[in-house]
Amino acid sequence: MARRRKVVAPSAQDLEGIEAEFRRETLNRPNAALAPISQVAAETAQMQSALSTQEREATARNQHDADAHREAVEQGRVIDLIALDEINENALVRDRTILDASELTELKNSIASHGLRLPIEVFRKEGEKPFGLISGYRRMHAFRELFALTGDAKYQTIKAIIRDPDALGGTITAMVEENEVRASLSHYERGRIAVIAAQQGVFPTAAEAVNQLFNAGSKAKRSKIRSFSLIFEELGDMLEFPEDLREKDGLRVATALRAGGEARFREALADGNPANAKEEWACLEVVAQEFEAEAVPQTKGGRPKTRTPALGWQGRDILHLSSGITLEQGVDSHGYVIRLRGKALNPELVSMAMSELQRLLEK
């Protein structure tokens, strides 16, 4: 059986020895009554209060300046100096199709004399070149040519504002809006960028692209742009001088295209092989006049009179039949075309014509 240990209360002398040893092993804290975490907080507060009033004011100013700079960067109010080699000017399909040589020379002279007064606009992107150009296409070309001419290193970098495309309604919208304000774009250039934006899936249709990109324009202006977008869609691959097409002439071409004139225009351009803008319009005008002659003339004070075309062949491609039906052959971007027009046409007659074509073309 284990022996019980007898517990004896310490004497006063023993207690004094224990307290003395405890004081030797415990750090000397200024406020021993506080818990350790409270002591740490108090010491931190004492260190902070040690800063002078001037130092605290300077710290507050620095924090305010940092917040203001961050906000300015986010809002696109900070101008950066970016190397030209880091900017892809073709990251977007440009709305401007040509650069006027005399205007570019004038711009280069101005930059050489006074520097660049208006920064270009870019956006961040993935890829080898971290920036894509939104606006400033001519300014970038002027800088490249000045560096090639002078070799001056100052033309290797350019002032730029980094924009957030989403905040601007999209990169294409931002580019178009900037050029609408600063540049004189032709209706053809406007129609072209609308079609390309629709083809890239930015907008569901070219018409919707016109409405969104040029919503600040009048209804009449948007209507004209839609007409020129049709010209680009159906004839853009064959036109060599479309920017020289006058507004009223372009509207005539668009009217003929809506009447089914694509094949005739393409044939006229291929046969004419125009070498300049004047010759190109001559080819287009012939076809436009053909369709204008076929249009029903409107007279005041009564029903419009219908003009009966002469029977037989009109040129090489149009055949007027005694039944009032007109046949037209041609070639468009999808292949050979035979068009049938006339009040005598009906679904049954068209089906019979298709059967005859089947019998003729099948082996």
Side-chain angles (χ1 to χ4, degrees), residues 22 26-40 43:
F22 179 79
T26 304
L27 295 175
N28 184 22
R29 294 185 296 163
N31 194 346
L34 293 177
I37 187 66
S38 300
Q39 180 67 23
V40 171
E43 292 173 354

Side-chain angles (χ1 to χ4, degrees), residues 318-340:
I318 299 176
L319 176 61
H320 299 292
L321 305 179
S322 59
S323 61
I325 296 175
T326 297
L327 304 179
E328 180 183 353
Q329 66 178 5
V331 181
D332 62 15
S333 55
H334 301 289
Y336 290 94
V337 176
I338 298 178
R339 289 189 175 86
L340 293 79

Side-chain angles (χ1 to χ4, degrees), residues 95-96 103 138 175-186 189-190:
D95 52 358
R96 181 175 290 280
E103 291 181 358
R138 292 189 306 162
M175 175 189 64
V176 169
E177 287 181 348
E178 195 271 347
N179 276 339
E180 279 293 286
V181 172
R182 301 194 69 257
S184 179
L185 297 178
S186 66
E189 289 173 319
R190 295 184 178 104

Side-chain angles (χ1 to χ4, degrees), residues 210-240:
V210 172
N211 292 336
Q212 294 295 326
L213 293 175
F214 305 99
N215 59 355
S218 65
K219 184 177 180 181
K221 179 179 179 178
R222 292 196 299 272
S223 176
K224 294 173 184 176
I225 297 173
R226 281 192 291 270
S227 293
F228 278 84
S229 69
L230 177 63
I231 296 174
F232 174 75
E233 277 188 296
E234 300 197 0
L235 301 177
D237 60 320
M238 297 197 70
L239 295 176
E240 295 292 334

